[in-house]
Amino acid sequence: MFARHALSAATAVSLLAAGGASAETITIATVNNGDMIRMQGLTDDFTEKTGHEVEWVTLEENVLRQRVTTDITTKGGQFDVMTIGMYETPIWGKNGWLVPLDDLPAEYDADDILPAMRGGLSVDGTLYAAPFYGESSMIMYRTDLMEQAGLEMPEAPTWDFVAEAARAMTDKDAGIYGICLRGKAGWGENMAFLTATANAFGARWFDENWQPQFDQPEWKETLEFYVNLMNDAGPPGASNNGFNENLSLFQQGKCGMWIDATVAASFVTNPEDSTVADKVGFALAPDTGKGKRGNWLWAWALAIPAGTQKEDAAKEFIQWATSKEYIELVAENEGWANVPPGARSSLYENPNYKDIPFAKMTLESILSADPTNPTVDPVPYVGVQFAAIPEFAGIAGQVGQEFAAALAGQQSVDEALAKAQALTTDEMETAGY
């Protein structure tokens, strides 16, 4: 049973006052990541403070994106709170599909939200979603396997070093693979990883005239490098692996390196879940010497769809779940290493958190990602691992299928890129670019 933790008096009073006399039952759609599962286990604290009950709809990442997008574009009204990110929030906020969060009380301290997160979840300075946690991506690696390979991980490695180390650490007979990377098709799965990686290789989705660039040599270099590396040093069936699958592989000791969300650091270092918890090191996402690292910028955030009949209760939930007090609640129950990272500046000033082994690298990774200047050559879009246009999710979902097929050996890299170029060109022309 989770221990009870009292919110600060100011916040508790604010939540109770906002709730008025009537208790509601709100429905929340969220992703099946560990931090969200943990939040569900602590929801009694919210109910105790406000009287409101919560019904959870917990979905795999690709399914969540599809469900909430369909619901909000059709005004389906299934959810009172949605878990969305930096791609959807500015587009949906601008369209008037989200309730602005411009009236949060002073004690919530919205100014404490990291500027990178606040900026990515705002439209014209107005916040439309509050970050539950923020992330970039970084390398998580087995220190023991790196040492056995006779190598030492630099703090800021190149892709060439990562490839060398991955091949050196691989022992397929023992079920150990030098590197685990996303291969599951999806704009937020393999394409998030590959778009960020492509930035480091000098590739881009579109040139300044919105012409697709998959027929350029930088994309071929990116995809060939990835497919060859995964064939040599990756696990079998990698085209089926997303965040959760690779997390499980790493925790079981089957991955020498994993390049993925910084938020995973608390899970791979948790001895209750990870067999290699005491053998994990961290480094910045790799580059190729062209001035861009392959790390993304993202926040899983909570937003309220316009038209909900339970706006006040939904705001109370968001205020509770993204507050400083919630961080303290998790710390009391799970320890400081397991609090939601990357959302608030005050967390990185907290003496209880400063010595967490991955805290510094997480913050450095977040601060180094620049969504307004993500690529080596200029681009007309904003976004590190996505292009912030409404058409991107649909296009990248299709491209992700082609790239996953190349990884699975069902087609060549050249065939995948040719199909990506053709379908992206068709979709962009249809959209009027």
Side-chain angles (χ1 to χ4, degrees):
M1 187 70 179
F2 288 106
R4 290 282 186 258
H5 176 89
L7 292 171
S8 70
T11 302
V13 169
S14 173
L15 287 171
L16 288 165
S22 61
E24 302 274 12
T25 298
I26 57 174
T27 302
I28 302 175
T30 196
V31 66
N32 63 342
N33 291 351
D35 284 287
M36 276 67 175
I37 301 299
R38 183 177 289 128
M39 175 170 57
Q40 293 175 41
L42 296 169
T43 309
D44 284 352
D45 184 87
F46 168 72
T47 299
E48 185 177 286
K49 296 296 183 292
T50 65
H52 302 311
E53 301 285 344
V54 176
E55 291 184 352
W56 292 96
V57 178
T58 307
L59 303 165
E60 186 270 331
E61 187 168 323
N62 284 341
V63 178
L64 172 75
R65 296 182 198 278
Q66 184 178 22
R67 285 278 301 275
V68 298
T69 299
T70 298
D71 190 65
I72 202 153
T73 55
T74 62
K75 297 185 171 69
Q78 295 181 55
F79 309 115
D80 303 299
V81 176
M82 294 176 164
T83 305
I84 61 175
M86 287 184 165
Y87 168 68
E88 301 95 343
T89 302
I91 297 170
W92 295 1
K94 190 173 183 178
N95 285 345
W97 296 348
L98 300 175
V99 174
L101 302 179
D102 54 1
D103 57 352
L104 295 170
E107 61 268 16
Y108 176 80
D109 194 6
D111 290 338
D112 185 49
I113 298 173
L114 281 167
M117 300 302 157
R118 182 167 185 147
L121 299 170
S122 297
V123 178
D124 297 329
T126 297
L127 192 69
Y128 280 88
F132 181 66
Y133 68 75
E135 66 180 41
S136 184
S137 51
M138 65 181 177
I139 303 173
M140 293 159 276
Y141 67 95
R142 289 271 301 277
T143 54
D144 57 332
L145 295 182
M146 189 69 70
E147 184 177 350
Q148 288 173 27
L151 298 169
E152 184 175 344
M153 175 70 81
E155 185 173 300
T158 64
W159 267 113
D160 284 342
F161 175 85
V162 167
E164 175 192 358
R167 291 181 170 101
M169 286 192 286
T170 298
D171 184 351
K172 293 184 179 181
D173 291 338
I176 295 174
Y177 305 93
I179 195 160
C180 294
L181 302 173
R182 296 191 188 198
K184 180 187 288 186
W187 75 261
E189 282 281 10
N190 66 339
M191 291 312 299
F193 173 79
L194 284 168
T195 299
T197 300
N199 294 340
F201 280 80
R204 50 188 177 165
W205 267 82
F206 307 103
D207 68 11
E208 291 180 280
N209 296 313
W210 291 104
Q211 297 302 306
Q213 298 294 290
F214 292 108
D215 59 355
Q216 297 301 302
E218 292 85 358
W219 262 110
K220 182 172 183 177
E221 183 183 3
T222 302
L223 196 57
E224 281 188 339
F225 183 93
Y226 164 78
V227 169
N228 291 338
L229 178 59
M230 291 297 284
N231 284 338
D232 291 347
S239 60
N240 297 313
N241 293 345
F243 174 86
N244 283 326
E245 292 80 7
N246 284 327
L247 170 61
S248 179
L249 286 170
F250 194 97
Q251 288 176 323
Q252 293 170 34
K254 297 182 182 296
C255 302
M257 285 179 287
W258 180 30
I259 303 174
D260 213 297
T262 52
V263 72
S266 67
F267 301 113
V268 299
T269 56
N270 185 340
E272 293 184 9
D273 302 314
S274 175
T275 63
V276 295
D278 60 344
K279 303 179 182 69
V280 183
F282 305 96
L284 292 172
D287 68 2
T288 65
K290 295 182 178 179
K292 296 293 177 183
R293 293 203 166 271
N295 60 304
W296 63 64
L297 185 69
W298 185 253
W300 276 118
L302 302 176
I304 303 170
T308 176
Q309 301 303 303
K310 301 173 182 177
E311 181 179 318
D312 289 344
K315 280 186 178 177
E316 289 178 68
F317 182 84
I318 289 177
Q319 183 186 331
W320 172 81
T322 64
S323 66
K324 296 177 184 177
E325 289 77 22
Y326 177 82
I327 291 174
E328 293 173 3
L329 175 64
V330 175
E332 179 179 298
N333 286 279
E334 303 283 345
W336 279 98
N338 296 308
V339 303
R344 287 185 169 270
S345 298
S346 56
L347 178 62
Y348 294 91
E349 299 161 2
N350 189 316
N352 295 307
Y353 196 71
K354 281 186 175 181
D355 291 334
I356 299 298
F358 49 81
K360 180 174 179 287
M361 189 60 67
T362 294
L363 185 60
E364 286 182 11
S365 298
I366 289 172
L367 296 178
S368 70
D370 184 0
T372 62
N373 186 30
T375 51
V376 174
D377 294 324
V379 289
Y381 55 85
V382 172
V384 179
Q385 76 278 26
F386 56 83
I389 57 174
E391 296 77 16
F392 178 81
I395 295 171
Q398 296 178 69
V399 173
Q401 294 285 351
E402 302 300 338
F403 288 1
L407 178 60
Q410 297 166 0
Q411 63 182 350
S412 69
V413 165
D414 286 342
E415 288 171 330
L417 289 169
K419 291 178 182 178
Q421 180 72 13
L423 71 86
T424 305
T425 299
D426 288 346
E427 294 287 348
M428 292 298 282
E429 288 178 353
T430 300
Y433 284 84

